[in-house]
Amino acid sequence: DDLYSLVLLDAEMPESDGCATIELIRSDPRCATAPIVAMVDADDETLADRCKETGADDLLVRPVDSHNLKDILEKHLVGKRDA
């Protein structure tokens, strides 16, 4: 079992590399298969690609649309609560 059901990560954290954080999360066996959703700016395709390459399962584009957030959370969490 994973330590977390889902990781919602701001890929543009101050003083931290979001992609390196994704790699760090993936290297921890307790979190290795937990879905990672990285938040990126709409105009930063390079960062979005890097997040996917380093292990993000999904992207949430800023500004965040509440319907999109709901869809992504349901996609990764529905069925996990009962498992």
Side-chain angles (χ1 to χ4, degrees):
D1 268 344
D2 287 318
L3 187 59
Y4 301 103
S5 298
L6 181 133
V7 177
L8 182 60
L9 175 83
D10 185 345
E12 297 179 89
M13 299 175 285
E15 300 180 28
S16 183
D17 180 340
C19 294
T21 302
I22 292 170
E23 289 176 330
L24 184 63
I25 293 167
R26 286 288 178 234
S27 71
D28 185 332
R30 299 170 301 163
C31 305
T33 61
I36 298 175
V37 178
M39 291 188 299
V40 297
D41 287 334
D43 60 350
D44 198 341
E45 291 181 32
T46 302
L47 180 58
D49 290 342
R50 284 185 52 227
C51 287
K52 293 293 280 187
E53 290 168 7
T54 56
D57 295 285
D58 233 321
L59 299 172
L60 188 59
V61 177
R62 282 190 293 257
V64 174
D65 173 86
S66 61
H67 297 290
N68 191 25
L69 174 61
K70 179 182 176 285
D71 290 345
I72 287 174
L73 293 176
E74 285 180 348
K75 173 181 173 182
H76 293 287
L77 295 176
V78 170
K80 283 190 133 189
R81 288 181 293 204
D82 301 325

